[in-house]
Amino acid sequence: MKIFLAQQNYHVGNFEDNTRKIIEAIQQAKVQGGDLIVFSELCICAYPPRDFLYFNDFIDKCYTAINTIKEYADGIAVLVGAPHRNPSVKGKDLFNAAYFLENRMIRQVIHKTCLPTYDVFDEDRYFEAATEWNIVEFKNKRLAVTICEDIWNLGDNPLYTYCPMDNLINHSPDVMINLSASPFDYTHDEDRKGAVKANVLKYRIPMFYCNCVGSQTEVVFDGTSLVFDKDANLCGRLLSFKEDLQSFVLNDDGTIDAAIIEPAQVIRDKDLNPENLEEKLNIAQVHDALVMGISDYFKKMGFTKAILGSSGGIDSAVTLALACEALGAGNVRAVLMPSEYSTSHSVEDAEQLSINLGNPYDIVPIRNIYDTFLAELKPIFKDLPFSVAEENIQSRTRGNLLMAIANKFGYILLNTSNKSELSTGYGTLYGDMAGGIGVLGDCYKLQIFELAKYINREKEIIPVNIITKPPSAELRPGQKDSDSLPDYSILDKILYQYIEQSKGPDEIKAKGFDAAITDRILKMVNMNEYKRNQFCPIIRVSPKAFGVGRRLPIVAKYLS
């Protein structure tokens, strides 16, 4: 049997374009003699549709798209993902479903069993879980069709009551097929292979795994669809961070007509969950995810041009380089806004960066505006000493200027804040925390240094001085980040323990971290939840990003 995997980049609610892509892939597979073509989870409407699932009109459009697509399921069978209305008066209104289309008919509908509610997932809010499991019979083959999370419920401590494959295996299937929308993080590539391998080893039949690709606001999908033979060897892998269409021949004995890419014995058996921050971990993938996150956010929102403040620091430099790669250098405008506290080399570094990248830039000094603010506030501030108030005036002045230019010329402001800063509240609301999308908000400072080195892997794009000089906000004379924060080599590792690993203070201290520094950092994190709650969407690249995947109360007492 010749099976195609169609790894495509969909757009939530863009039924016309999603349907067009699906039909084009079906037609290509037909021409190449395909028997079956598999698409990803909820491909009709794109994943995650979230509360659009409450709109009857949205579901009607899903059904209309399926009825259009089924007309092309002649001479080839098609598996597509879409919501399916629950005919019962009990339970939720919808199932997350896979539609098996053949001979221009909806021949079978398979419902998802395991509905994740952790991190960025909230499927139990919308869908009813399956309680029946049936094989799809096609061309003398018995297909066990599952959807994404359905294959992750293995191991000693399963999350769900049911494991659909434990029921489907009783029907003697020949192959497992999984439609997936599995988001990227820098550990997930290995996790995914491990999960597929575990299923193949347990049930002793091959698996075809089709994942979507593309970014939906903050959630990035890397694709990297997989094919494993019956002996758990990796025999097929589609491209990462790109659309792809590939075919594989499944033999009657469970082997695949393809060379082995990775034998079973070299593929991890357990999740990749580093106990400690590894700032270099899969940095090339992180780079590609951020570029796709920027590109898709602009493309799918109908934006074309970006603006950002270029300070001569490493965060804005990395953001600018990523944006130029994603959007084209001519579409990214950098604004240098020096104050009386800015060093001359910071301006020179920022200029050289834009020259290297070839993007347009402006220099707009803020000293006169800042002095006017101080003059107008003098009757209120009187002779009180310089403080964070004056520092934040500079930051908000810059934010105002950036937004003014953005509004005048139709730019979208890219935020350059990193995860270390967002964690500890080291940023100014309505100033340097302004933006339409947070590019680096899920990358710790140590990871950003590694990103800069990766960007410079072939030639110097980011001036070396930007990478090597001590980080500084330059809001007061001689200011350094280390004046307000612990050294990043300590800070980031404690933050990683608390945020990614969900460790409490005693557990972190038991790892050898200083007690006073640990308490101070954790207090900063919790006290600044109100700031993060007002922040823009952040492109997710870690297992635990700020935003929809980490939901904490603002007014909690814990560790405050």
Side-chain angles (χ1 to χ4, degrees), residues 236-280:
R237 177 170 53 205
L238 275 61
L239 297 174
S240 297
F241 303 104
K242 294 182 184 299
E243 292 189 311
D244 200 4
L245 177 68
Q246 292 188 30
S247 66
F248 303 87
V249 174
L250 171 64
N251 298 317
D252 290 341
D253 62 358
T255 59
I256 309 292
D257 272 354
I260 293 174
I261 300 171
E262 292 181 30
Q265 60 266 28
V266 305
I267 299 171
R268 301 177 61 93
D269 293 318
K270 296 182 179 180
D271 287 353
L272 176 60
N273 183 25
E275 289 189 6
N276 300 301
L277 177 64
E278 298 180 20
E279 58 268 22
K280 296 182 181 181

Side-chain angles (χ1 to χ4, degrees), residues 353-475:
L353 172 65
S354 285
I355 292 169
N356 292 351
L357 289 165
N359 69 279
Y361 70 94
D362 304 278
I363 302 177
V364 184
I366 68 167
R367 180 163 187 168
N368 292 340
I369 302 171
Y370 175 60
D371 288 344
T372 301
F373 264 110
L374 294 183
E376 294 298 324
L377 289 166
K378 177 71 173 176
I380 299 172
F381 283 11
K382 300 189 183 333
D383 294 321
L384 291 170
F386 185 99
S387 71
V388 69
E390 285 81 4
E391 292 183 24
N392 286 346
I393 288 171
Q394 297 168 70
S395 183
R396 292 193 178 108
T397 297
R398 291 180 172 123
N400 244 327
L401 290 170
L402 289 168
M403 286 307 304
I405 299 169
N407 291 162
K408 182 63 71 174
F409 297 103
Y411 294 102
I412 295 300
L413 176 59
L414 299 177
N415 184 272
T416 65
S417 301
N418 62 61
K419 193 170 189 175
S420 308
E421 294 171 344
L422 291 173
S423 298
T424 55
Y426 192 58
T428 304
L429 276 175
Y430 327 119
D432 60 352
M433 291 183 72
I437 186 78
V439 176
L440 300 179
D442 200 25
C443 296
Y444 291 114
K445 193 77 169 188
L446 296 179
Q447 292 174 307
I448 291 168
F449 283 110
E450 294 302 323
L451 277 170
K453 294 173 187 174
Y454 181 80
I455 290 167
N456 281 4
R457 66 195 180 279
E458 295 178 356
K459 63 178 181 179
E460 185 178 308
I461 295 173
I462 298 174
V464 172
N465 190 52
I466 289 178
I467 300 173
T468 58
K469 67 186 176 185
S472 171
E474 295 190 335
L475 297 175

Side-chain angles (χ1 to χ4, degrees), residues 490-504:
I490 298 171
L491 173 65
D492 287 1
K493 291 173 182 176
I494 291 176
L495 291 172
Y496 180 84
Q497 293 298 318
Y498 185 50
I499 296 166
E500 274 80 359
Q501 295 290 304
S502 300
K503 302 295 186 186

Side-chain angles (χ1 to χ4, degrees), residues 469-531:
K469 67 186 176 185
S472 171
E474 295 190 335
L475 297 175
R476 63 175 183 265
Q479 184 181 24
K480 300 287 186 294
D481 286 6
S482 55
D483 299 338
S484 303
L485 299 173
D487 187 271
Y488 286 114
S489 63
I490 298 171
L491 173 65
D492 287 1
K493 291 173 182 176
I494 291 176
L495 291 172
Y496 180 84
Q497 293 298 318
Y498 185 50
I499 296 166
E500 274 80 359
Q501 295 290 304
S502 300
K503 302 295 186 186
D506 292 340
E507 295 169 290
I508 296 173
K509 294 168 191 175
K511 283 180 166 285
F513 292 102
D514 180 83
I517 292 176
T518 298
D519 288 341
R520 176 189 167 204
I521 290 171
L522 269 52
K523 182 176 181 180
M524 285 193 288
V525 175
N526 287 358
M527 284 180 61
N528 286 287
E529 190 66 36
Y530 78 100
K531 283 189 175 182

